Amino acid sequence: MSALTHIETPALLLDRDRLDANIQRMRNKLAAFNVVLRPHVKTNKSLEVTERLFAGGRGPITVSTLREADFFFEAGFTDILYGVGIAPNKFAHAATLISKGAQLKLVLDNLDTARLLADFAQTSGHAFDVLLEIDCDGHRSGLGPQSPLLVEIAQLLSTRGVRLSGLMTHAGKSYDSQSIAEIESCARQERAAIIDASQMLAAAGFNMTIISIGSTPTALFTKDLTGVTEVRAGVFAFFDLVMAGLGVCDVQDIAVSVLTTVIGHQAEKGWIITDAGWMALSRDRGTARQAVDQGYGVVCDAAGQPIGDLIVSSTNQEHGIISLRAGTLEPARLLPLGTLLRILPNHACATSAQHGGYHVLSEGRSLGYWPRITGW
Amino acid sequence: MSALTHIETPALLLDRDRLDANIQRMRNKLAAFNVVLRPHVKTNKSLEVTERLFAGGRGPITVSTLREADFFFEAGFTDILYGVGIAPNKFAHAATLISKGAQLKLVLDNLDTARLLADFAQTSGHAFDVLLEIDCDGHRSGLGPQSPLLVEIAQLLSTRGVRLSGLMTHAGKSYDSQSIAEIESCARQERAAIIDASQMLAAAGFNMTIISIGSTPTALFTKDLTGVTEVRAGVFAFFDLVMAGLGVCDVQDIAVSVLTTVIGHQAEKGWIITDAGWMALSRDRGTARQAVDQGYGVVCDAAGQPIGDLIVSSTNQEHGIISLRAGTLEPARLLPLGTLLRILPNHACATSAQHGGYHVLSEGRSLGYWPRITGW
């Protein structure tokens, strides 16, 4: 792996071949359905990665911040869904994007926000496009699919000149599934909730043009998307140990890893000390609640092959402690000082966010550096 | 708090008056001893904050990355201790800084690194200055204070032309203390370990000019620093909920917080949904192992006063869920849509690292924006 020896550690690596295979898998899965893929770019926050999601094109995207919306709009992406309930202090920012030509879609799930947005639209003269958020599984935000507020909000928006173009939901509970059968059940529930809500609105005279669902687990295991118009998913492009723990992917599919160096040992404890702490790995411990707890990440050699039962068992800001998952590593098996290792992340979104960009590799060769954006 | 209404949330706030008071407390504490303060700038990563640590001067600093060393050296700080065991792939970077005039001190704790550094020094013609790391409490890295390797490494470095100027240790275990008496005990142990090691080296003919210790808890509660020449500590300038949980500071001393907006509710669950998820708060759950688990942070009003028993109980990437620490929040107590809140962080270093800079406040008035650096 001579491409790695000139990189100062810690650093984020991206295997482009795995990335491309992961994208192709989602494309293949969705090809059986009459839906558009609107990938969530919060995982990658990178122009180069997002371009590969569309084979160089400029398709519809989902963003988690208006900073992402700004960045991708400047790069030519116009159809943008901002997937977090809009806060009043972001109305003006959203309006600026729309006035520049972005087909920006905002999300809300309550009457107060609808009223405030309508007020802002009226006084500022801006036209907004809104999706209502549906709560399909009690995971986080959204209105229940039977909530009478859906029709109330639709009526308020229609009388106040704000366009209501659709519904969106996210099966966040699918991340807690214990089996593929449970993921399939989450997928049915996700679709059922949004279809129920859209039928209630249709009965009240409000026809939705966008019916947007999505999570990586449900998107990859759904069997029926009748009535759904688009799928949002993000982590599928990179995958991670949480996804592998769910059975959604294999550990060998994970496209991002953190390159680190052995900087010391505590031989009598069986510890290997590295220069990748939580600043490089993130504090995410998403596998802690899964059947196999992967600590702060699975330890691989420089070529990306997992090394026995080694995990990152503890982290400080710029120090990682590697040990055997159970028991004590024999001194003979402590990796030599200076050894380069790759750590597979619990959560690709969280780990990638700790880095300014990706050192991109293909079959061990360097393809350069792809920068990421940060902030709000 | 009209200074806050024009900020798009989430955003990092810094209370400059609390910052100044926290700095003064550490200065007052150390004034009783014959030591230099070499603050760890990994907590703040900001020129403006670091300048306040020295009342505008350019004193000695500790850094956690060579990126910090580059940044602060360019800003006029010359005496820099890089506090993480040096990896061979960083030798060239360190050499560049030294050749520009930085009095950069490197840390190592093993014979292999000493040999590799000596080889590099010899072939490249660069002069390095090294501190040996002492393990005072079994927390992480370093050689035991009685380790015969200390003298072996000192001999190797002296014969190979690398300057050995001192010892450093860090009482990381003090973060797990259950009482101030335990912190005082950690402080005694920290000093004893490094003094023991320096006496052994002196007996072998190696006299150390720098005896460097430091952690915020031990620095603030030590009673004896005889033989110690400098104190490293970082989080004392900001403080956080982990430090408050240890009894090292009061919640009212915490100088950084995350400004967020209420974007929705799930009334029947007693949840308030905000736009500060783990991207803004970090995934740090440092209080989880303390007597009082503060979730992902304590919820305050816009002026910074804690609101009853509200904590951030759960986070996704850009969503926070606020709830009562125990029980269900009554619908009447759900904070209105659009309410601005401040979240106090578990860990100031981790939370601050999620942001590009600080919105600085003094008595509710804005003092501008102080940028932070990131990366390695």
Side-chain angles (χ1 to χ4, degrees):
Chain A
M1 302 301 289
S2 63
L4 304 181
T5 54
H6 294 288
I7 300 175
E8 268 184 59
T9 51
L12 184 64
L13 305 181
L14 171 61
D15 183 318
R16 202 201 54 183
D17 306 315
R18 291 185 182 186
L19 168 70
D20 287 349
N22 295 339
I23 293 170
Q24 195 56 50
R25 178 177 162 199
M26 183 61 86
R27 289 266 170 221
N28 291 346
K29 170 72 190 183
L30 296 185
F33 306 101
N34 184 28
V35 292
V36 168
L37 175 62
R38 183 192 286 279
H40 210 318
V41 299
K42 76 182 175 75
T43 308
N44 70 69
K45 300 202 186 209
S46 147
L47 177 57
E48 291 80 359
V49 174
T50 298
E51 284 183 325
R52 289 195 90 77
L53 285 163
F54 296 105
R58 294 287 186 271
I61 58 173
T62 311
V63 299
S64 71
T65 65
L66 291 183
R67 167 79 183 105
E68 292 165 39
D70 287 339
F71 174 78
F72 287 102
F73 177 68
E74 292 299 324
F77 293 85
T78 52
D79 185 356
I80 301 171
L81 168 56
Y82 170 48
V84 180
I86 188 75
N89 59 37
K90 299 186 184 94
F91 290 167
H93 189 160
T96 301
L97 267 162
I98 292 164
S99 67
K100 287 180 182 171
Q103 297 166 270
L104 183 67
K105 288 147 190 77
L106 304 180
V107 167
L108 59 86
D109 72 353
N110 62 83
L111 259 173
D112 289 336
T113 303
R115 262 190 220 108
L116 291 167
L117 183 65
D119 291 348
F120 183 91
Q122 211 151 6
T123 50
S124 70
H126 285 288
F128 290 97
D129 193 353
V130 163
L131 271 64
L132 300 184
E133 183 169 5
I134 306 299
D135 178 11
C136 64
D137 58 8
H139 173 63
R140 187 171 67 198
S141 308
L143 288 160
Q146 318 286 346
S147 171
L149 279 171
L150 287 167
V151 171
E152 259 190 79
I153 295 172
Q155 283 165 339
L156 182 144
L157 294 176
S158 72
T159 59
R160 302 284 301 277
V162 175
R163 183 173 171 203
L164 173 61
S165 58
L167 303 178
M168 63 88 80
T169 195
H170 167 65
K173 274 272 166 68
S174 66
Y175 278 54
D176 301 325
S177 299
Q178 303 295 317
S179 65
I180 298 300
E182 262 189 56
I183 294 174
E184 290 170 348
S185 164
C186 289
R188 283 192 297 273
Q189 187 180 334
E190 186 180 33
R191 178 187 163 275
I194 202 164
I195 296 296
D196 279 2
S198 81
Q199 287 172 346
M200 184 171 69
L201 282 160
F206 299 100
N207 290 299
M208 304 292 109
T209 55
I210 297 176
I211 302 295
S212 178
I213 67 161
S215 80
T216 284
T218 55
L220 287 171
F221 290 95
T222 186
K223 291 176 173 172
D224 178 14
L225 291 179
T226 312
V228 171
T229 67
E230 64 175 43
V231 170
R232 307 181 324 281
V235 80
F236 72 90
F238 289 172
F239 285 131
D240 52 31
L241 292 169
V242 166
M243 288 295 125
L246 285 172
V248 167
C249 70
D250 193 86
V251 166
Q252 300 291 338
D253 298 325
I254 300 172
V256 284
S257 59
V258 174
L259 187 70
T260 185
T261 306
V262 174
I263 60 170
H265 305 99
Q266 295 289 16
E268 70 289 358
K269 293 175 186 156
W271 289 357
I272 299 163
I273 314 288
T274 75
D275 63 359
W278 56 252
M279 188 65 86
L281 300 174
S282 92
R283 272 286 195 198
D284 199 288
R285 292 277 292 105
T287 56
R289 57 185 181 176
Q290 293 190 326
V292 178
D293 183 342
Q294 307 281 22
Y296 285 91
V298 164
V299 180
C300 301
D301 63 21
Q305 290 306 310
I307 303 177
D309 234 13
L310 290 184
I311 59 168
V312 181
S313 51
S314 177
T315 56
N316 293 128
Q317 187 157 342
E318 298 289 350
H319 293 82
I321 298 179
I322 291 175
S323 62
L324 263 189
R325 192 185 300 276
T328 302
L329 194 60
E330 290 164 34
R333 287 190 58 207
L334 292 172
L335 304 163
L337 196 288
T339 303
L340 284 175
L341 300 169
R342 290 197 208 185
I343 313 298
L344 298 178
N346 280 314
H347 188 173
C349 306
T351 300
S352 301
Q354 301 295 107
H355 296 264
Y358 308 90
H359 295 268
V360 186
L361 303 171
S362 173
E363 297 176 357
R365 284 173 305 108
S366 169
L367 299 177
Y369 186 78
W370 293 356
R372 284 175 53 93
I373 58 162
T374 60
W376 289 272
Chain B
M1 303 301 289
S2 64
L4 304 180
T5 54
H6 295 288
I7 300 175
E8 269 184 57
T9 52
L12 184 64
L13 305 181
L14 172 60
D15 183 318
R16 201 201 55 182
D17 308 315
R18 291 185 182 185
L19 169 71
D20 287 348
N22 295 338
I23 293 170
Q24 195 55 51
R25 179 177 163 199
M26 182 62 85
R27 288 266 169 220
N28 290 346
K29 171 72 191 182
L30 296 185
F33 306 101
N34 184 28
V35 293
V36 168
L37 175 62
R38 183 192 287 281
H40 210 318
V41 300
K42 76 182 176 73
T43 308
N44 70 69
K45 299 202 185 208
S46 147
L47 178 56
E48 290 80 358
V49 174
T50 298
E51 284 183 326
R52 290 193 91 77
L53 284 164
F54 296 104
R58 294 287 186 270
I61 58 172
T62 311
V63 300
S64 71
T65 65
L66 291 183
R67 168 79 184 105
E68 292 165 38
D70 286 338
F71 174 78
F72 287 101
F73 177 69
E74 291 299 324
F77 292 85
T78 52
D79 184 356
I80 301 172
L81 167 56
Y82 170 49
V84 181
I86 187 74
N89 60 38
K90 299 186 185 93
F91 290 166
H93 189 161
T96 302
L97 267 161
I98 292 164
S99 66
K100 287 180 182 171
Q103 297 166 268
L104 183 68
K105 288 146 190 76
L106 304 180
V107 167
L108 59 86
D109 72 354
N110 62 82
L111 216 42
D112 288 337
T113 302
R115 260 189 221 110
L116 291 167
L117 183 65
D119 291 348
F120 183 91
Q122 210 151 7
T123 50
S124 70
H126 285 288
F128 290 97
D129 194 352
V130 164
L131 271 63
L132 299 185
E133 184 170 5
I134 306 299
D135 178 11
C136 64
D137 59 8
H139 174 63
R140 187 170 68 198
S141 307
L143 288 161
Q146 318 286 349
S147 171
L149 278 172
L150 288 167
V151 172
E152 258 189 80
I153 296 172
Q155 283 166 339
L156 182 144
L157 294 175
S158 73
T159 58
R160 302 285 302 277
V162 175
R163 184 173 170 204
L164 174 61
S165 57
L167 303 178
M168 62 89 78
T169 194
H170 167 65
K173 274 272 166 67
S174 67
Y175 279 54
D176 301 325
S177 298
Q178 303 295 315
S179 66
I180 298 300
E182 262 189 56
I183 293 174
E184 290 170 348
S185 163
C186 289
R188 284 191 296 274
Q189 187 180 333
E190 186 181 33
R191 178 187 163 275
I194 202 163
I195 297 296
D196 280 1
S198 80
Q199 286 172 347
M200 184 172 69
L201 281 160
F206 299 100
N207 290 299
M208 304 291 110
T209 55
I210 297 176
I211 303 295
S212 178
I213 66 161
S215 78
T216 284
T218 56
L220 287 172
F221 291 95
T222 186
K223 292 176 173 172
D224 178 14
L225 291 180
T226 313
V228 171
T229 67
E230 63 174 43
V231 170
R232 307 180 325 281
V235 80
F236 72 90
F238 289 172
F239 285 131
D240 53 30
L241 293 169
V242 166
M243 287 296 124
L246 284 171
V248 167
C249 69
D250 193 87
V251 166
Q252 300 290 339
D253 298 325
I254 300 173
V256 284
S257 59
V258 174
L259 186 70
T260 184
T261 306
V262 174
I263 60 169
H265 306 99
Q266 295 290 15
E268 69 288 356
K269 294 175 186 156
W271 289 358
I272 299 163
I273 314 287
T274 75
D275 63 359
W278 56 252
M279 188 66 86
L281 300 174
S282 92
R283 272 286 195 199
D284 198 288
R285 291 277 293 102
T287 57
R289 58 184 180 176
Q290 293 189 327
V292 178
D293 183 344
Q294 308 280 23
Y296 284 92
V298 164
V299 179
C300 301
D301 63 21
Q305 290 306 310
I307 303 177
D309 234 11
L310 290 185
I311 60 168
V312 181
S313 50
S314 176
T315 56
N316 293 127
Q317 186 157 342
E318 298 289 350
H319 293 82
I321 298 179
I322 291 175
S323 62
L324 264 190
R325 192 186 299 277
T328 301
L329 194 60
E330 289 165 33
R333 288 191 57 206
L334 292 172
L335 304 163
L337 196 289
T339 303
L340 283 176
L341 301 169
R342 290 198 207 184
I343 313 298
L344 299 177
N346 280 314
H347 188 173
C349 306
T351 300
S352 300
Q354 301 295 106
H355 296 264
Y358 309 89
H359 296 268
V360 185
L361 302 171
S362 173
E363 297 177 356
R365 286 173 304 108
S366 170
L367 299 178
Y369 185 79
W370 293 356
R372 283 175 53 92
I373 57 162
T374 61
W376 288 271

